[in-house]
Every structure is written in structure tokens, then in C-alpha cells.
Amino acid sequence: MRNSVTLIPFVLAGTLLAAPAAKDKGFYPIDIQKHGNKEVLGVFAGGDETNVLKDFPTGEKKFNDVTFVVGKKLIMLGSTAQKTEPGKVEGIAVGRAANRLHFLHANGYGGGPNKEGSAWFVKDGTQIGAYTVHYEDKTTAEISIVYGEHTRDWFYTEDEPEPSKAKVAWSGENEYATARSSKIRVYQMTWENRKADKKIVSIDFAGKKDETPAAPFCIAITAETK
């Protein structure tokens, strides 16, 4: 009887110690709602009331096998075409280490009905913004957002390629886009973190407000641990 009394707490203690390790693996959505300045399902990139992410899924959803939490708001940055929005947003809290960061994003203007030679056209290879990762040791890492590689206009035409270093996460239609011979879509970019052993304190999101018509917007961010 004395042995069983000693053994049971040991087993329980082992179970309790193992549980946090299991919880440290997987997808961890980052809350961007504090910094959100536009409604996900509202008008955020100009046009009339039909220019929305019609039927876009919200809540906890999987895109390309990555779990995101899509809240009510997104972060919309400014550009030479979208002048009233901020140039950057700082201090999106993370508070954990991660092997990868996944971004659900796109940008207003650049492609779709905007053809080369027009004021709102953006050439492939143009840097339109960046995410800056801040680690607990005060170092940083910049994640460039390059048009044609990591994102494209959320408006697209059938002959338009996908980004070369990102995936299409979702596509759909709205009346405003249809009237301009276009459809709509959102992209998913994944970044491999070379400092996976260091805690990420926060992320900044910046555009090139005075340099390009492309106006980046971020819908959700997820941290992944192995």
C-alpha cells in the first residue's frame, strides 16, 4: 500500500509536466484586432458598397492546411492611391518562439484592371512593404513584401499569374470586381524563421505609402511551432 501511494503521485506529476510540451506544438493565431482599422467584410480599398470580400470565411479557418483566426477587422495600410490610411502599424504582440510565420494578406491596386501604363499599375519585383520581427534579445528580422512574389492585387484577371513565393488562400467574386472584368483573391505567405529558438516579442507591418499605389492589407497572422 505504501508503494502505491508513492507511485500514483509520481505518475500524475509526470503527466502534468508533459502536457505543456505538447501544447507548445502547432498553430498559434496572432491577435491583430487591436491594430485593425477596417472591417474584413466591409469596404476597405475604395469603390462602392459592393467592393467587399464577399463570402470570405471568418472565425477559425484553415487555408492551405494552416489554421488562422479571421476576426472582424484587418489592417489596411496607405499608398499613393489610398492616402488616408497609415503608413505602418507597430507592436503586433506575439510573445512566443516560432519556426514559421504565416501571413494571410493581399494589397489594393497594382493589377487586375490596372494595366501597364496606368497610374495604379505596379510592376512585378517592386517592394511594397515589409513585416519586421522583433525578438526578445532586441534583434530584428525584416520580411520583405514584394509585388509578384509575396502578394498581388486582390483584384485579378484570368490571365494574371499567382505570386511566385506565395499561395492563393481564397478566391471569390464581388459585383464591383465583376464590372471591371476581374475576380478577387487573398494570398498566403510563409516565412521560415532562422531564429526559432528566440521568442518573438512583436511584429511591425509597414508599406511604402509615398512610393507606390499598392496598399498592403493583412487579414490574419499565425505562428507555427514544430
Side-chain angles (χ1 to χ4, degrees):
M1 194 64 188
R2 185 175 299 170
N3 288 339
S4 62
V5 171
T6 305
L7 178 62
I8 290 173
F10 176 79
V11 172
L12 288 174
T15 303
L16 289 172
L17 288 173
K23 290 181 181 179
D24 282 343
K25 298 179 180 180
F27 297 116
Y28 292 85
I30 306 304
D31 186 3
I32 70 169
Q33 294 304 294
K34 177 182 176 181
H35 303 276
N37 58 349
K38 294 287 184 179
E39 298 288 332
V40 170
L41 300 180
V43 178
F44 57 83
D48 62 27
E49 68 278 358
T50 67
N51 193 27
V52 295
L53 282 168
K54 186 179 179 182
D55 302 323
F56 191 80
T58 58
E60 185 175 307
K61 302 293 178 182
K62 275 194 173 182
F63 299 93
N64 296 315
D65 296 322
V66 175
T67 302
F68 290 89
V69 172
V70 178
K72 291 183 178 181
K73 293 184 177 182
L74 55 78
I75 302 172
M76 183 83 210
L77 299 182
S79 72
T80 57
Q82 187 127 349
K83 299 180 180 180
T84 60
E85 311 308 334
K88 63 181 177 179
V89 166
E90 298 178 315
I92 301 169
V94 179
R96 68 164 50 251
N99 297 91
R100 299 181 184 91
L101 292 176
H102 303 276
F103 301 89
L104 195 63
H105 67 189
N107 62 270
Y109 312 99
N114 304 298
K115 305 303 180 183
E116 189 165 7
S118 68
W120 291 348
F121 175 79
V122 178
K123 187 177 180 180
D124 282 10
T126 302
Q127 183 173 353
I128 65 169
Y131 298 100
T132 300
V133 176
H134 294 264
Y135 297 99
E136 63 180 341
D137 65 356
K138 308 299 182 183
T139 60
T140 62
E142 181 175 292
I143 308 169
S144 295
I145 306 172
V146 177
Y147 191 85
E149 296 182 11
H150 310 113
T151 184
R152 282 192 180 278
D153 195 334
W154 71 305
F155 274 36
Y156 76 100
T157 54
E158 294 294 349
D159 60 343
E160 234 173 317
E162 298 179 5
S164 60
K165 297 179 181 179
K167 300 177 181 179
V168 172
W170 175 91
S171 59
E173 300 180 5
N174 71 34
E175 293 175 23
Y176 195 84
T178 300
R180 287 152 181 80
S181 303
S182 301
K183 295 183 179 180
I184 55 176
R185 60 188 179 186
V186 170
Y187 312 99
Q188 179 186 327
M189 179 180 81
T190 297
W191 177 70
E192 297 285 342
N193 182 15
R194 295 181 180 179
K195 296 182 178 180
D197 58 327
K198 298 186 183 299
K199 182 186 289 186
I200 298 173
V201 176
S202 63
I203 299 171
D204 299 337
F205 178 35
K208 298 280 187 178
K209 185 174 180 177
D210 299 323
E211 301 175 31
T212 174
F217 62 88
C218 180
I219 296 173
I221 304 173
T222 287
E224 179 185 357
T225 59
K226 292 181 180 179

